[in-house]
Amino acid sequence: MGQLEQLQQMIDQSKRIVFFGGAGVSTESGIPDFRSVDGLYNQTYRYPPETIISHSFFEENPEEFYDFYRAKMLCLDAQPNAAHEKLAELEKAGKLLAVVTQNIDGLHQQAGSKRVYELHGSVHRNYCQRCHKSYSAQEILDSHGVPRCSCGGVIKPDVVLYEESLDGQTIENAIKAISQADLLIIGGTSLAVYPAAGLVRYCSGRLVVLNKSATPMDGQADLLIQQPIGEVLGAIQV
């Protein structure tokens, strides 16, 4: 039996699937990932990207932060790909409990997924640090310099920056879903970013790893597929 047939069989036999995904899910939608050969970490900026997207850099150099953020992290023209669409279909069919994502692009929701736990926040939520008024991603993209609220406060994206902690409720929801799963599909993530990557250890069901490069969970996977995720999930019948 081929890998795709095996995956199809595992999905058919499962009633409580959880998908845990990362940047590789969105690269097929044209959003650059951070760690691949042509990802953001291998491009040259005046500061390393991990410095620019840290809390202290945002506080000290908000203008430079926003130059990078608008250029590299606001990909508002991107559209969901076959992976996003298939996951939404599986949820609609009552087979998928939740999507747990490290991505901040909102493409899972755009594809129709309802239960999405965004571990690292979302570019689509932005708020004034002073009065908490909210702003859309488009308003941030259209602004110049440091975006400011009508009250004068600095607007911050609801994205978890380096040095910031993840939202406790989101983590709790993600752990609950993963621990209830009879099948956990890990896709498009190298599992290099903690604490997010540590959540997969709560899985007691079967495990599929679907990622182009090696991950620390490969040896524990019931099925390992190193192919483009959109191609693989797109071929699944619901």
Side-chain angles (χ1 to χ4, degrees):
M1 191 189 291
Q3 289 183 323
L4 195 59
E5 287 81 5
Q6 273 180 273
L7 178 61
Q8 181 71 61
Q9 190 177 70
M10 288 170 86
I11 286 173
D12 289 346
Q13 290 167 351
S14 303
K15 293 186 172 70
R16 298 184 310 282
I17 303 168
V18 170
F19 179 82
F20 181 95
V25 180
S26 293
T27 48
E28 288 171 60
S29 294
I31 295 180
D33 86 352
F34 274 58
R35 287 181 168 75
S36 67
V37 182
D38 48 359
L40 293 181
Y41 280 159
N42 292 303
Q43 298 177 20
T44 315
Y45 294 94
R46 206 151 71 96
Y47 298 93
E50 58 266 54
T51 300
I52 299 174
I53 53 174
S54 66
H55 180 81
S56 49
F57 192 91
F58 173 79
E59 293 292 329
E60 290 154 25
N61 307 279
E63 191 139 354
E64 198 142 359
F65 169 87
Y66 268 112
D67 284 348
F68 177 86
Y69 182 78
R70 285 190 193 94
K72 296 293 173 187
M73 297 175 75
L74 285 182
C75 308
L76 303 186
D77 292 336
Q79 295 298 314
N81 60 52
H84 298 106
E85 283 162 5
K86 190 63 64 173
L87 291 166
E89 228 179 290
L90 283 164
E91 184 189 53
K92 203 174 176 186
K95 292 184 75 69
L96 185 89
L97 281 182
V99 168
V100 179
T101 182
Q102 300 171 80
N103 296 342
I104 57 174
D105 51 46
L107 290 179
H108 285 293
Q109 290 94 327
Q110 209 177 313
S113 288
K114 303 284 184 245
R115 189 170 294 164
V116 182
Y117 299 129
E118 296 172 306
L119 298 173
H120 295 152
S122 171
V123 299
H124 295 285
R125 296 187 297 271
N126 304 273
Y127 61 89
C128 169
Q129 292 185 294
R130 189 186 290 170
C131 75
H132 300 291
K133 182 179 174 184
S134 61
Y135 289 84
S136 70
Q138 191 64 51
E139 287 172 298
I140 300 301
L141 190 60
D142 294 341
S143 65
H144 299 284
V146 180
R148 289 189 176 272
C149 176
S150 48
C151 80
V154 172
I155 299 167
K156 182 183 182 294
D158 187 14
V159 167
V160 179
L161 304 176
Y162 285 105
E163 306 160 354
E164 294 181 341
S165 53
L166 275 58
D167 176 68
Q169 189 59 58
T170 306
I171 290 186
E172 212 176 290
N173 291 339
I175 289 172
K176 189 178 176 190
I178 290 168
S179 62
Q180 290 173 345
D182 57 7
L183 175 63
L184 177 66
I185 302 173
I186 296 173
T189 173
S190 56
L191 294 176
V193 179
Y194 282 82
L199 301 184
V200 300
R201 71 176 185 271
Y202 289 94
C203 170
S204 56
R206 290 190 296 174
L207 179 65
V208 171
V209 175
L210 174 48
N211 197 51
K212 286 201 277 192
S213 56
T215 84
M217 295 296 285
D218 290 359
Q220 292 168 57
D222 296 286
L223 176 62
L224 174 63
I225 304 178
Q226 293 184 314
Q227 299 290 329
I229 189 166
E231 216 173 275
V232 175
L233 289 183
I236 290 296
Q237 302 297 310
V238 177

